[in-house]
Amino acid sequence: MRKLIGSLLGIVAGTLLVTAPGVQAAPMETAVAKPAGAQQSWKTTFYCGSADTWTRCSLNSSDFPRPAEWLPGGSPSAHLLVDNHAAGGEACRIVVNGGRFNPRYIDPGYNRWTWLGNTGTDPAVQLECIRRSQSGDAGIGGYIQFNY
């Protein structure tokens, strides 16, 4: 038994993920860094599928459920434009370096940028959204933008 444990521990870190039976491992994050040429603002897509509870968003529907972590650098403000609304609209918030900001409520059909907060210096930003209706479409998508 001791030899078996030792050989399992000797496997290179990150190449083996062991979970208890019936427990699903959390997907790895997708890190998204600010492009070198971006100076005034920078935007990317986001997608939160099945957001009937607070859901960490991905870059797009093919990347879901692997959550994205945006690394905008500097001290930007974060803004959201939803072009794929959930039933009843949605609430979205940013999580900066582990701290959750207050949610912003977005009505169905609202097609303007919504300010989510000022991130502070060198933030690691994640986006969480939830639909506001008890039933119906729970998919949320659009753009997140960082302004400097």
Side-chain angles (χ1 to χ4, degrees), residues 57-70:
C57 302
S58 300
L59 283 177
N60 53 52
S61 59
S62 62
D63 210 28
F64 189 79
R66 189 169 65 217
E69 181 172 69
W70 288 271

Side-chain angles (χ1 to χ4, degrees), residues 66-143:
R66 189 169 65 217
E69 181 172 69
W70 288 271
L71 305 170
S75 298
S77 59
H79 306 262
L80 199 68
L81 176 72
V82 177
D83 62 6
N84 175 15
H85 291 276
E90 48 277 323
C92 295
R93 64 186 176 199
I94 53 175
V95 180
V96 178
N97 300 330
R100 286 181 168 76
F101 281 49
N102 290 329
R104 302 290 180 215
Y105 298 94
I106 304 166
D107 292 328
Y110 185 74
N111 61 355
R112 296 180 187 245
W113 289 99
T114 300
W115 176 79
L116 298 177
N118 296 327
T119 65
T121 305
D122 291 325
V125 179
Q126 295 153 349
L127 177 64
E128 296 178 337
C129 292
I130 186 172
R131 73 174 173 199
R132 290 168 53 193
S133 174
Q134 293 294 337
S135 61
D137 177 21
I140 303 165
Y143 299 92

